[in-house]
Amino acid sequence: MMSQAQQRSWAPLSFKTRLLIYLFFFTLLSSLLFLRGRREVLTDHEWDVLIFTQHWPNTVCMTWEEKNPSNNSCRLPKEKDIWTIHGIWPTKLGTIGPLYCNSSYHFNATQLASIESNLTEYWIDVEVPQPANSFWKHEWLKHGTCCSALPNMSTELKYFKAGLEWLDKYNMKNVLDKAGLYPDTNTSTDLTTIWLGIKTGLGVNPSIHCIHDKKTGQYYLQEIRICFDKSLQLTDCDGIRSRRMFRWQPLGNCPNEKPIFYPNTIPPRSRKPLPPPPDNSVISLLKVIQFVMWLTS
């Protein structure tokens, strides 16, 4: 708390001046916390956890189609409402990577012949017209080659088999269904509810990722990431790189205060902009001031 002398020196300042000082320190604090979490891409091959990433095909498709509406289309899994695999990513805590660890490990599609039908359904390349096998090749060269020290992932076939086994055991459709969260284009949920559903179902902290629809301003659930240690046991994703500002927030890039949509269909390209929200700038500003005053008291 401020001493009487400090209070006397503070009192003559105008409200506007004090407000600017509060905002300055709030911005400074936010920047420091953000920079604290930033790291460069890792250049050596050491890693701490494996991030198993599943993505929601409807949201992936919407994003892909809008990159090039005249050419891009989507390939969706035959089984309805399943999450599919994006990849298994060895990761050093606080960084991105390592990446592309062994240039002598080439991609050979024939090694995957025994599981190709399952990969085509569950490790599906949603994006059309990408070249055949380009998605699998990318994941193996960029991430799979960094798993080679693990006996269970020392070959291309073992790497992709591990992903299929984990999807069968930890598919986010089942996890979210048990939490009462079902795909619904017209109904939104919130980040805390999604996080709690996964945390309750698996017992570990996930990392949850959304895309922001610039047409409507809505947020769509896109990816859910869970982590494994080197003994291939589930572990918290705490410590992986994330866009969260404060440690008490759920990992990922989804907003805490916005509704999040988990669409059961691909949102149409002709989506209309939402009406602008009511002007709550004064209320928001007062909340910021209140928070900073609490933080600095």
Side-chain angles (χ1 to χ4, degrees), residues 130-233:
Q130 296 282 61
N133 301 326
S134 62
F135 184 35
W136 302 338
K137 179 180 179 180
H138 171 80
E139 291 300 312
W140 167 247
L141 296 179
K142 185 175 182 179
H143 304 288
T145 57
C146 302
C147 297
S148 58
L150 292 177
N152 288 1
M153 295 191 191
S154 58
T155 67
E156 183 180 319
L157 178 60
K158 289 181 178 180
Y159 172 78
F160 285 97
K161 267 189 172 181
L164 292 173
E165 290 170 1
W166 282 349
L167 185 72
D168 183 59
K169 190 173 182 180
Y170 304 110
N171 193 293
M172 284 301 143
K173 168 181 167 49
N174 300 328
V175 175
L176 296 177
D177 280 359
K178 287 180 180 178
L181 295 169
Y182 304 100
D184 186 341
T185 299
N186 299 315
T187 303
S188 66
T189 184
D190 59 86
L191 179 59
T192 301
T193 301
I194 299 170
W195 174 85
L196 187 60
I198 301 168
K199 174 73 173 179
T200 302
L202 299 182
V204 293
N205 290 333
S207 183
I208 305 169
H209 293 254
C210 298
I211 61 121
H212 181 226
D213 182 0
K214 294 181 179 178
K215 285 187 177 180
T216 64
Q218 292 175 343
Y219 287 84
Y220 288 92
L221 185 60
Q222 181 183 39
E223 288 189 346
I224 295 175
R225 303 171 186 178
I226 57 177
C227 295
F228 294 81
D229 60 25
K230 290 186 177 182
S231 62
L232 304 185
Q233 298 300 309

